[in-house]
Amino acid sequence: MNIMKQSIDLLIINASELITLRGFSDRPATKDDMKKLQIIKDGAVAIENGKIIDVGESEELKAKYTAENEISAHDKIVLPGFIDAHTHLIFSGSREEELTLKLEGISYLEILKRGGGILKTVRETRKATLEQLVREGEQRLSSMLIHGVTTVEAKSGYGLNVEDELKMLEACRILNEKHVVDVIPTLLAAHAIPQEFKKNPDDYVELIINEIIPKVAERKLAKFNDVFVEKNVFTIEQGRKILLAGKEYGLIPKIHADEINYLGGAELAGEVGAISADHLARASDTGLKTLAEKGIVGVLLPAAPMVLMDYVFPNARRMIRMGVPVAVATDFNPNCWVENIQVAMFMATYFLKMTPAEVITSVTINAAHAIGLSHEIGSIEKGKKADLVILNVPSHYWINYRFGVNLVDTVIKSGQIVVENGKITKNSR
Ligand SMILES: [Zn+2]
């Protein structure tokens, strides 16, 4: 009988639940569909050349394939690799002293006004060499990987001039080539007004439009163009100009929208055709309706209101009811140093009231939509990249029920086993 079997690279069998999330590659899951994980009990996945070639029940796949490597996921669940769709991966330095300031009641925007916050990280990142940024990024990526993340969106935004924004995105490019985790780059030159443009912010907007965007596009260093639209940062008008200018160069718009103050960021996302609107803690119903109508992903970052200590969380239940496709991400940055996406996941359940099933959808297929990769990753379907995570729990109901420990047993990246028994076995390509 063996003669009839097809020889393949890797076969995963006996998963108590194989969580496929199939059927949402063309459009993100919304409303009740966010709970439809499309589970196969006693599931199996066949992998060849880094791709998923078959998905089904263990008996069926065992009869069809013989594999060089076989993994039994008995009593464990198998999911698509987690996608962290909003991070500020690259920066140098740290801001641990601000935690105490915040506890003394000094707000994030006040710290920024005093030249701290983002501006401190800008000073330290400008000083750092490209090699240093890559080295620091590598360590963070490995830490994310060990927690089940196989793809990371990474923003610039601590250079705030031509040279250093390019340096940050160059670091992303090198990391994407070196590290097993895929790094999807976003230009966020509009992250803060640099100190030297404090008196004439519009001149910085002109610099972004006339110099930074063209250079980034010419060197193909970013896929997305993001703007921090916020009081004392960038206005709606400035955000609109920057996002439309990026579009002319093929950069897809993203927005930090309505995080600390309501300015109409979600509405702007609809107007410029953004792929995602992120944060949304103060978004209006009109804004949310726009996101739902246009299928723009709302990327929710539950750790952000916690580290800001204002505890105003986005209203995920309302968004899901309205039909906004919801994703969840870490917002990893020097003010929110969380490398473990499972923290954002458990917060999504306990602070945003999202069910374990909705949370899984939010860090897999919907997160893939937020970064324009829904046809390559985010679900376990034939033809997709073999990015998978095996968790040490018997059913998906255990996700966010058991928390505070790393649930990851195994990570498979592009068909290769890169984390085994919770330890990294391979992190460079
Ligand atoms: Zn952010």
Side-chain angles (χ1 to χ4, degrees), residues 372-387:
L373 291 176
S374 62
H375 287 275
E376 288 167 45
I377 54 174
S379 63
I380 303 178
E381 290 177 276
K382 203 176 150 180
K384 282 209 172 174
K385 203 185 263 192
D387 289 2

mmCIF file of all heavy atoms in Angstrom, residues 372-387:
data_model
loop_
_atom_site.group_PDB
_atom_site.id
_atom_site.type_symbol
_atom_site.label_atom_id
_atom_site.label_comp_id
_atom_site.label_asym_id
_atom_site.label_seq_id
_atom_site.Cartn_x
_atom_site.Cartn_y
_atom_site.Cartn_z
ATOM 1 N N GLY A 372 -3.068 42.921 4.012
ATOM 2 C CA GLY A 372 -3.170 42.598 2.578
ATOM 3 C C GLY A 372 -2.588 41.254 2.181
ATOM 4 O O GLY A 372 -2.157 41.070 1.041
ATOM 5 N N LEU A 373 -2.574 40.285 3.121
ATOM 6 C CA LEU A 373 -1.969 38.986 2.801
ATOM 7 C C LEU A 373 -2.945 37.823 2.990
ATOM 8 O O LEU A 373 -2.528 36.688 3.204
ATOM 9 C CB LEU A 373 -0.722 38.765 3.677
ATOM 10 C CG LEU A 373 0.475 39.659 3.374
ATOM 11 C CD1 LEU A 373 1.604 39.411 4.372
ATOM 12 C CD2 LEU A 373 0.991 39.437 1.944
ATOM 13 N N SER A 374 -4.230 38.105 2.873
ATOM 14 C CA SER A 374 -5.238 37.079 3.172
ATOM 15 C C SER A 374 -5.235 35.906 2.194
ATOM 16 O O SER A 374 -5.800 34.859 2.488
ATOM 17 C CB SER A 374 -6.623 37.712 3.211
ATOM 18 O OG SER A 374 -6.927 38.252 1.941
ATOM 19 N N HIS A 375 -4.590 36.078 1.048
ATOM 20 C CA HIS A 375 -4.524 34.953 0.110
ATOM 21 C C HIS A 375 -3.280 34.090 0.316
ATOM 22 O O HIS A 375 -3.128 33.045 -0.307
ATOM 23 C CB HIS A 375 -4.610 35.446 -1.343
ATOM 24 C CG HIS A 375 -6.009 35.895 -1.693
ATOM 25 N ND1 HIS A 375 -6.978 35.027 -2.113
ATOM 26 C CD2 HIS A 375 -6.584 37.109 -1.615
ATOM 27 C CE1 HIS A 375 -8.111 35.695 -2.307
ATOM 28 N NE2 HIS A 375 -7.898 36.969 -2.003
ATOM 29 N N GLU A 376 -2.397 34.527 1.205
ATOM 30 C CA GLU A 376 -1.166 33.768 1.450
ATOM 31 C C GLU A 376 -1.122 33.133 2.833
ATOM 32 O O GLU A 376 -0.563 32.056 3.016
ATOM 33 C CB GLU A 376 0.054 34.690 1.313
ATOM 34 C CG GLU A 376 0.327 35.083 -0.127
ATOM 35 C CD GLU A 376 1.326 36.228 -0.199
ATOM 36 O OE1 GLU A 376 2.338 36.180 0.508
ATOM 37 O OE2 GLU A 376 1.052 37.177 -0.959
ATOM 38 N N ILE A 377 -1.673 33.840 3.815
ATOM 39 C CA ILE A 377 -1.574 33.379 5.203
ATOM 40 C C ILE A 377 -2.905 33.594 5.939
ATOM 41 O O ILE A 377 -3.857 34.104 5.355
ATOM 42 C CB ILE A 377 -0.422 34.097 5.965
ATOM 43 C CG1 ILE A 377 -0.581 35.627 5.845
ATOM 44 C CG2 ILE A 377 0.932 33.664 5.458
ATOM 45 C CD1 ILE A 377 0.428 36.426 6.681
ATOM 46 N N GLY A 378 -2.958 33.199 7.200
ATOM 47 C CA GLY A 378 -4.127 33.502 8.034
ATOM 48 C C GLY A 378 -5.147 32.383 8.146
ATOM 49 O O GLY A 378 -6.067 32.470 8.956
ATOM 50 N N SER A 379 -5.018 31.334 7.332
ATOM 51 C CA SER A 379 -5.922 30.189 7.452
ATOM 52 C C SER A 379 -5.179 28.933 7.035
ATOM 53 O O SER A 379 -4.107 29.002 6.429
ATOM 54 C CB SER A 379 -7.169 30.384 6.583
ATOM 55 O OG SER A 379 -6.817 30.464 5.217
ATOM 56 N N ILE A 380 -5.762 27.780 7.396
ATOM 57 C CA ILE A 380 -5.139 26.504 7.025
ATOM 58 C C ILE A 380 -5.912 25.955 5.832
ATOM 59 O O ILE A 380 -6.929 25.288 5.986
ATOM 60 C CB ILE A 380 -5.117 25.527 8.221
ATOM 61 C CG1 ILE A 380 -4.377 26.181 9.406
ATOM 62 C CG2 ILE A 380 -4.457 24.202 7.819
ATOM 63 C CD1 ILE A 380 -4.326 25.327 10.668
ATOM 64 N N GLU A 381 -5.457 26.301 4.655
ATOM 65 C CA GLU A 381 -6.128 25.909 3.414
ATOM 66 C C GLU A 381 -5.086 25.533 2.369
ATOM 67 O O GLU A 381 -3.976 26.063 2.371
ATOM 68 C CB GLU A 381 -6.964 27.084 2.880
ATOM 69 C CG GLU A 381 -8.184 27.389 3.723
ATOM 70 C CD GLU A 381 -8.961 28.605 3.220
ATOM 71 O OE1 GLU A 381 -8.592 29.738 3.576
ATOM 72 O OE2 GLU A 381 -9.927 28.419 2.465
ATOM 73 N N LYS A 382 -5.469 24.663 1.499
ATOM 74 C CA LYS A 382 -4.607 24.215 0.402
ATOM 75 C C LYS A 382 -4.071 25.422 -0.370
ATOM 76 O O LYS A 382 -4.825 26.329 -0.723
ATOM 77 C CB LYS A 382 -5.447 23.337 -0.538
ATOM 78 C CG LYS A 382 -4.639 22.382 -1.369
ATOM 79 C CD LYS A 382 -5.560 21.497 -2.191
ATOM 80 C CE LYS A 382 -4.850 21.108 -3.470
ATOM 81 N NZ LYS A 382 -5.673 20.259 -4.321
ATOM 82 N N GLY A 383 -2.758 25.425 -0.607
ATOM 83 C CA GLY A 383 -2.150 26.503 -1.381
ATOM 84 C C GLY A 383 -1.574 27.621 -0.542
ATOM 85 O O GLY A 383 -0.773 28.414 -1.018
ATOM 86 N N LYS A 384 -1.979 27.687 0.731
ATOM 87 C CA LYS A 384 -1.433 28.747 1.584
ATOM 88 C C LYS A 384 -0.066 28.363 2.142
ATOM 89 O O LYS A 384 0.311 27.186 2.173
ATOM 90 C CB LYS A 384 -2.407 29.064 2.719
ATOM 91 C CG LYS A 384 -3.575 29.933 2.240
ATOM 92 C CD LYS A 384 -4.137 30.809 3.330
ATOM 93 C CE LYS A 384 -5.150 31.777 2.728
ATOM 94 N NZ LYS A 384 -5.847 32.562 3.753
ATOM 95 N N LYS A 385 0.661 29.376 2.568
ATOM 96 C CA LYS A 385 1.957 29.168 3.191
ATOM 97 C C LYS A 385 1.762 28.314 4.448
ATOM 98 O O LYS A 385 0.816 28.551 5.210
ATOM 99 C CB LYS A 385 2.526 30.534 3.567
ATOM 100 C CG LYS A 385 4.029 30.564 3.705
ATOM 101 C CD LYS A 385 4.491 31.907 4.187
ATOM 102 C CE LYS A 385 4.944 32.801 3.043
ATOM 103 N NZ LYS A 385 5.660 34.004 3.550
ATOM 104 N N ALA A 386 2.663 27.356 4.657
ATOM 105 C CA ALA A 386 2.530 26.485 5.836
ATOM 106 C C ALA A 386 3.087 27.177 7.073
ATOM 107 O O ALA A 386 4.159 26.845 7.569
ATOM 108 C CB ALA A 386 3.219 25.149 5.586
ATOM 109 N N ASP A 387 2.358 28.171 7.558
ATOM 110 C CA ASP A 387 2.663 28.869 8.811
ATOM 111 C C ASP A 387 1.641 28.387 9.840
ATOM 112 O O ASP A 387 0.468 28.755 9.769
ATOM 113 C CB ASP A 387 2.507 30.388 8.640
ATOM 114 C CG ASP A 387 3.602 31.008 7.783
ATOM 115 O OD1 ASP A 387 4.463 30.261 7.288
ATOM 116 O OD2 ASP A 387 3.584 32.238 7.603
#
